[in-house]
Amino acid sequence: MSKQLLHIEGLVVFITSLYFYDQVGVSWWVFFLFLLVPDLSMLGYIVNNKIGSKIYNIFHTYILPLLFIILSMILEQNLMLALSITWVAHIGMDRTIGYGLKYPSNFKDTHLQKV
């Protein structure tokens, strides 16, 4: 049941992000162009699993994009806000389909498997 809740939570985050992205008024092309950009963090796995998991996890937690959302609102930067919301949407989308934070043992070992 806990794992299902995490998937549902991810879906709610994703859908909510779509709503807020629409409110910003930036082109949907920007959303689709940048939706998978956080997955570039997987390149850290070229070095090794430990570095790869750390870099991947930094870009797949809500902390940084939420800080950027706050900063973009303070600075009134709509593009930055749109990209930050897209980042949150990416994380929600990942959680919805079962991708979670990575353990250093293997790329396929995620926190969603441990629930």
Side-chain angles (χ1 to χ4, degrees):
M1 181 64 175
S2 296
K3 188 174 182 178
Q4 290 173 334
L5 285 174
L6 291 173
H7 289 288
I8 293 167
E9 176 184 63
L11 181 61
V12 170
V13 167
F14 180 71
I15 292 170
T16 303
S17 298
L18 295 177
Y19 170 80
F20 283 110
Y21 186 92
D22 188 56
Q23 301 305 305
V24 175
V26 173
S27 171
W28 281 98
W29 285 106
V30 173
F31 180 85
F32 292 112
L33 186 63
F34 286 92
L35 183 60
L36 298 178
V37 167
D39 282 340
L40 292 174
S41 63
M42 286 188 277
L43 293 174
Y45 279 93
I46 292 172
V47 178
N48 63 44
N49 284 350
K50 184 177 180 181
I51 301 245
S53 65
K54 284 183 182 184
I55 294 171
Y56 182 91
N57 290 343
I58 288 169
F59 285 92
H60 284 82
T61 61
Y62 294 111
I63 297 167
L64 285 177
L66 291 176
L67 288 173
F68 279 110
I69 286 172
I70 293 167
L71 183 62
S72 64
M73 292 175 73
I74 292 169
L75 298 175
E76 298 179 9
Q77 295 293 319
N78 275 0
L79 180 59
M80 182 181 184
L81 178 58
L83 294 175
S84 302
I85 292 170
T86 303
W87 191 355
V88 170
H90 172 89
I91 297 168
M93 178 183 68
D94 273 5
R95 299 292 192 280
T96 300
I97 58 177
Y99 296 120
L101 299 175
K102 308 296 183 188
Y103 288 104
S105 54
N106 188 313
F107 179 77
K108 294 182 179 182
D109 293 338
T110 73
H111 83 285
L112 291 176
Q113 294 170 329
K114 305 293 183 185
V115 177

